[in-house]
Amino acid sequence: MVFVGVHGQWGRVDVTQADLGCSQDRESIYKTKKPAPLTCYECEWRLHLVHRTHGAYELWFLRHANNAPHCEAKAAGEGLQHHLLKLDLAHHARAAGWSAEFEVPAPDGSWRADVLATSPDGKRRVALEAQMAAIAITDIEARTDRYRTDGIEVCWFTDRKTVPWLDAVPSVQIARPDDGGSVQVTAGAARFTPEWCENRDDCELCECGECGAGVDGPLPCGGHGKWETAEPFALNRFVAAICMNSARPHWLRASGRGPKGRWRWITRAYFDQEEAQVQAEAVRQRAIAIKVEASRRRAEAQNAAEQDHQAAIAALLQRQKALLKPVVEFVYQEAGHYPTVADSGTGDFAMGVPVFVQGHPYAVICPVAGRVAQLRGRLAPLILIAATERERQRIAAQAGPGQRIEVIAPDPMATAQVPLQQAGSLTVEQAVNRMMGLDRM
């Protein structure tokens, strides 16, 4: 069963048209005494015209004569439903003011359209493909690409219950009612339902659970609209919308609560609504990126400051340890008694290491300059020991008037493991933990 053949005198004939598409009539080739010179465009086997009534359809088609060889045109879908759908598609395109031809081949044979609809000005061509048989996604994508390469739009139509390629190419699923009503488009067309937060400057968490970005502070609303399958509607409306260019295939982009990343036929209004959400989401993502970057920089700054702080503590502990022996000698020379040195700095002495003579505070090794001002009265009678002139100047800037501050050169042989009197040895890490109060946690 095919609709197009080749007449020996008239050339291409389309038996779905009353004038055969060549200004002739069907009676001239129907049940004539002498068989009409009709052959298949594919295998060149003889064809004869057949007339059947199927419901509301008056079917005119061509059938291969007996003993015909294998033929791609014949095997391309002899099913009645396939041909009825092709008739519908051509009829609806013609009703929209377009021309429609069956089984139109590419000049190089790379494709053959079931129905090729052409706009009145010839600027647009749309292949309307009735795909009733199973086909692999890769095959239908390849066929679609061949049409696009030649500047031809395409839409695939199927009545199959399961259509794995419906998302992969511009296509729709159709259903023919049992009561003989009009064919309906049941899937493949979509509508967009917009949804926005009442305050678009402050996006609230919605039920989809995808609005929180894990950053502090308000974020602009990126929209919560969604794509939904359009309610079933008549096939003739859909074909007319394609011809008028009011329905177009579109790769869904919005990431609301509906489907995303698939082909659907939509109208311009829905495209504009989705575009508004896509742009709003881009603004929201930029706001998130700015906040994330600011948070990252703050974390890096805090980490750097903490590292600097730890390094400063470690350096302080090293200086204090390196001064133990020189300070002990210095105090002995001044006081005439060997002093007792605490095992670490304490807050009572501005984190410096206190030195005692006969049980009384006598000196402080390397107090922290920033803490000295709060303890001026307590530190006033004591000798403050610095390891360098620069350290002495920092301490002096915070100490009270007349505060005695001595610079004593550290022991060059001292290491991080120099033993402290009374408490044994402390590593830098242990001393830092003690100074920070972490050893009590």
Side-chain angles (χ1 to χ4, degrees):
M1 181 188 294
V2 294
F3 295 133
V4 176
V6 179
H7 191 277
Q9 296 177 350
W10 308 331
R12 180 186 174 91
V13 295
D14 179 351
V15 298
T16 67
Q17 302 186 59
D19 67 351
L20 302 179
C22 59
S23 300
Q24 302 297 324
D25 60 79
R26 294 191 183 107
E27 294 302 321
S28 62
I29 60 173
Y30 181 57
K31 292 185 178 180
T32 57
K33 291 183 179 180
K34 183 179 180 181
L38 291 174
T39 57
C40 175
Y41 59 81
E42 185 71 32
C43 66
E44 299 183 354
W45 199 256
R46 183 172 294 277
L47 302 172
H48 56 86
L49 182 60
V50 179
H51 178 235
R52 292 283 188 273
T53 300
H54 181 78
Y57 289 89
E58 289 288 329
L59 297 178
W60 292 90
F61 58 89
L62 296 167
R63 177 172 288 165
H64 285 70
N66 292 337
N67 301 317
H70 174 77
C71 173
E72 291 297 329
K74 183 180 178 182
E78 287 289 341
L80 178 61
Q81 296 301 320
H82 180 259
H83 287 283
L84 290 179
L85 178 55
K86 290 200 293 185
L87 285 172
D88 282 333
L89 295 174
H91 172 73
H92 297 327
R94 291 164 183 166
W98 285 37
S99 64
E101 297 181 88
F102 293 93
E103 305 300 331
V104 179
D108 61 358
S110 61
W111 51 262
R112 182 181 294 276
D114 282 344
V115 177
L116 185 64
T118 305
S119 63
D121 60 6
K123 293 182 178 180
R124 290 181 63 208
R125 292 186 296 169
V126 182
L128 305 175
E129 289 284 351
Q131 186 62 44
M132 318 302 273
I135 184 173
I137 292 178
T138 53
D139 290 342
I140 200 168
E141 288 178 331
R143 292 172 64 181
T144 299
D145 289 341
R146 288 196 289 270
Y147 280 123
R148 288 174 179 157
T149 298
D150 286 353
I152 297 176
E153 303 168 47
V154 62
C155 181
W156 299 86
F157 299 81
T158 185
D159 65 353
R160 296 180 68 82
K161 301 299 182 182
T162 302
V163 192
W165 42 263
L166 191 67
D167 298 340
V169 294
S171 56
V172 293
Q173 187 180 43
I174 58 101
R176 192 179 298 275
D178 296 334
D179 60 6
S182 63
V183 178
Q184 300 286 299
V185 173
T186 56
R191 61 187 181 88
F192 189 77
T193 303
E195 183 180 344
W196 300 91
C197 291
E198 183 175 356
N199 180 4
R200 292 199 185 186
D201 293 330
D202 186 2
C203 181
E204 300 176 356
L205 292 180
C206 70
E207 61 186 73
C208 72
E210 296 178 356
C211 297
V215 296
D216 295 330
L219 290 170
C221 179
H224 312 304
K226 59 183 179 180
W227 285 106
E228 298 175 319
T229 299
E231 294 295 325
F233 61 101
L235 177 63
N236 66 318
R237 283 180 50 202
F238 178 67
V239 175
I242 292 178
C243 294
M244 291 186 295
N245 210 22
S246 60
R248 303 178 186 180
H250 175 63
W251 186 256
L252 305 187
R253 301 170 296 159
S255 57
R257 291 170 290 177
K260 176 189 176 184
R262 59 192 66 183
W263 284 105
R264 288 293 183 267
W265 287 88
I266 69 169
T267 64
R268 178 72 195 193
Y270 293 142
F271 173 85
D272 291 340
Q273 291 171 348
E274 184 202 45
E275 178 66 15
Q277 178 160 312
V278 169
Q279 295 299 325
E281 179 61 20
V283 171
R284 180 174 175 273
Q285 290 301 323
R286 287 195 293 271
I288 291 173
I290 291 172
K291 288 178 176 288
V292 169
E293 177 62 16
S295 177
R296 183 188 66 80
R297 290 181 178 179
R298 286 195 299 271
E300 286 183 350
Q302 291 173 354
N303 185 55
E306 178 62 22
Q307 290 180 350
D308 291 345
H309 181 60
Q310 294 297 329
I313 292 176
L316 172 64
L317 294 176
Q318 185 62 40
R319 293 196 307 275
Q320 290 173 339
K321 289 182 178 181
L323 283 173
L324 287 178
K325 183 177 179 180
V327 168
V328 168
E329 295 297 331
F330 170 82
V331 172
Y332 176 74
Q333 293 296 327
E334 279 211 352
H337 297 279
Y338 275 105
T340 300
V341 183
D343 57 1
S344 66
T346 66
D348 291 342
F349 295 93
M351 301 312 299
V353 178
V355 180
F356 300 89
V357 174
Q358 294 184 331
H360 299 286
Y362 187 87
V364 179
I365 302 174
C366 296
V368 176
R371 293 173 175 257
V372 169
Q374 300 175 354
L375 299 170
R376 288 174 180 171
R378 182 183 184 88
L379 300 177
L382 307 180
I383 303 172
L384 305 185
I385 309 297
T388 64
E389 176 59 25
R390 183 178 179 182
E391 184 178 24
R392 187 198 69 77
Q393 294 175 0
R394 291 200 305 269
I395 295 173
Q398 302 296 323
Q403 176 71 58
R404 183 181 176 187
I405 305 173
E406 298 288 344
V407 177
I408 298 178
D411 181 1
M413 301 301 293
T415 67
Q417 297 299 323
V418 172
L420 298 178
Q421 291 189 18
Q422 299 182 354
S425 63
L426 288 176
T427 65
V428 171
E429 181 180 2
Q430 290 171 329
V432 169
N433 288 341
R434 178 170 295 183
M435 293 180 68
M436 301 295 291
L438 299 179
D439 59 336
R440 297 186 294 274
M441 296 178 64

